[in-house]
Amino acid sequence: MGINTTMRSTSERAEHLLGLLGSPIKPHLPAVSRFLVVATFYEDAIRIMYQWSDQVRYLEKVRHFPGYTASIFLGFNALSMILFASCIILKRQVGPSVAVLASVIIGQAIAYGLVFDLMFFLRNLSVTGGLLLCMSESLLRKKSRNKQSSMFASLPQLTVSERDKYFQLAGRVLLVLLFLGFILNGEWNYLRMVVSFVGLAACGMVVVGFRAKWSATFLVSLLCIINMLVNNWWSASHSNYKRDFLRYDFFQCLSIMGGLLLLVSIGPGGLSYDEKKKEF
C-alpha cells in the first residue's frame, strides 16, 4: 500500500510539474500537433514531385504499371496529400481528409509492394493512429460547440456521437506500434534493453490510458532522441541511397510524435483508466 501511494503521489507531482512547464505552449499545442501528424504527407508529396521521373520509371519497370497509370497514381497521391493534409491543419473537413489520407497509405503499400514489410506496416499504423486522434479532436471540438450553442439558446443539449472515445482508444493503441517495431528491429545491447523496457512500460500506460498525458510526453521525448540519432538523414551524402529512406523514417516519426502530443492535448478519452478514475 505504501509503495502504491508513493508511486501515485510521485506521478501526480510529475504531471503537475509537466502542466506548469507546458502551460506557455498549451494554447498552440493542438495546431503544432496536427502539423506534425501530417508532416510525413507533405514530405512524401514533395519527394514525389522532386523525383517524378525516377518514381514513374520504378512503377512502370519494376511494379509494371501500364501506360500513364503510374503518372496518374503519383499525381493523385501528391495532390491528395497536400490538399487533405492542409485541411487537417486548418480544421476543415477533417473526417473525409483522414479517410483519404488513410486510403493513400493503403494504396502506396500495395503499389510499392510493401504490404508485407513489417516496419513499414507498423509505422503506417502508427501514423494512422495520429490521424484518428485528429478525427477525435474534431469530434470533441464539435461537441464543445454544440454544448455552448445549446446553453445560449436554452435548448436541450445537443450531443455528438460518442465515436470520439473509440477513435481515441484506437489512436492510442495504433500510436505505440512504432515503438514495438523499434524493439523488434535492430541488434540488442544493454542500452537497447533498458530503453525497450522503459518504452514498453510507457506504451502500456498510453494504451490503457493510465497517466496517459505523462507517459505520452515521455514517449515524445524518447522518440525525439531516437529519431535524431537513428534517422539523421541530413548527415548522409546526397549520393547515398539511404538518405531518402532515413528522411522518410524521420518524418514518419515526427508524425507519430505529433499524434502523441495531440493525445497530451485532448486526453486519453472515455475508454481509459484516467477517465474511469474520475468517476469514483
Side-chain angles (χ1 to χ4, degrees):
M1 180 68 71
I3 296 177
N4 290 336
T5 303
T6 302
M7 291 179 62
R8 187 180 302 112
S9 176
T10 302
S11 62
E12 287 175 354
R13 285 199 298 269
E15 273 197 353
H16 178 67
L17 178 61
L18 188 63
L20 292 177
L21 293 175
S23 56
I25 63 170
K26 187 175 181 179
H28 311 289
L29 190 59
V32 173
S33 302
R34 289 194 302 273
F35 174 77
L36 290 177
V37 167
V38 299
T40 187
F41 296 102
Y42 283 121
E43 187 275 334
D44 202 11
I46 293 172
R47 181 157 42 85
I48 286 175
M49 292 184 288
Y50 181 71
Q51 301 175 348
W52 182 268
S53 58
D54 293 336
Q55 296 271 354
V56 170
R57 188 181 304 111
Y58 175 81
L59 290 178
E60 289 180 348
K61 303 298 183 183
V62 179
R63 301 299 301 167
H64 307 296
F65 272 52
Y68 292 98
T69 54
S71 297
I72 295 172
F73 174 78
L74 291 172
F76 172 79
N77 276 0
L79 182 61
S80 297
M81 287 188 285
I82 292 175
L83 176 61
F84 292 104
S86 299
C87 286
I88 288 178
I89 293 176
L90 297 174
K91 299 183 291 187
R92 298 287 186 272
Q93 300 297 321
V94 175
S97 299
V98 168
V100 171
L101 292 177
S103 67
V104 167
I105 291 174
I106 297 171
Q108 287 189 336
I110 296 172
Y112 288 93
L114 297 171
V115 175
F116 299 106
D117 186 311
L118 180 60
M119 283 303 296
F120 179 88
F121 182 69
L122 292 177
R123 281 197 305 267
N124 280 286
L125 281 180
S126 292
V127 172
T128 304
L131 291 174
L132 289 178
L133 287 177
C134 288
M135 173 85 80
S136 181
E137 186 212 16
S138 176
L139 291 173
L140 289 171
R141 191 168 57 247
K142 187 183 297 184
K143 182 184 293 185
S144 177
R145 286 200 303 266
N146 287 342
K147 286 182 179 179
Q148 291 177 0
S149 63
S150 65
M151 284 192 301
F152 286 121
S154 299
L155 295 172
Q157 181 174 308
L158 301 174
T159 59
V160 178
S161 168
E162 292 189 340
R163 288 174 299 171
D164 58 293
K165 66 182 182 182
Y166 295 104
F167 283 126
Q168 282 172 283
L169 174 61
R172 295 199 320 263
V173 173
L174 293 178
L175 272 175
V176 302
L177 293 180
L178 173 76
F179 198 84
L180 296 181
F182 166 75
I183 293 174
L184 296 173
N185 190 45
E187 297 181 0
W188 283 95
N189 53 48
Y190 180 75
L191 178 60
R192 188 183 184 86
M193 289 177 62
V194 173
V195 171
S196 298
F197 177 78
V198 175
L200 271 178
C203 288
M205 292 170 67
V206 167
V207 169
V208 301
F210 174 69
R211 302 295 182 195
K213 293 186 177 183
W214 181 89
S215 51
T217 304
F218 173 78
L219 279 177
V220 168
S221 304
L222 186 59
L223 284 175
C224 183
I225 296 171
I226 293 174
N227 204 24
M228 295 291 287
L229 294 177
V230 176
N231 299 322
N232 52 344
W233 59 271
W234 53 88
S235 65
S237 64
H238 289 275
S239 59
N240 191 337
Y241 74 95
K242 291 185 178 180
R243 181 184 175 90
D244 280 346
F245 293 103
L246 290 173
R247 184 171 60 188
Y248 177 77
D249 291 349
F250 178 85
F251 278 94
Q252 281 216 315
C253 196
L254 277 186
S255 293
I256 295 156
M257 289 162 58
L260 289 168
L261 287 175
L262 201 54
L263 175 60
V264 173
S265 176
I266 66 177
L271 299 176
S272 66
Y273 177 87
D274 288 348
E275 197 66 27
K276 296 298 180 184
K277 188 178 62 175
K278 294 177 183 178
E279 299 176 3
F280 297 99

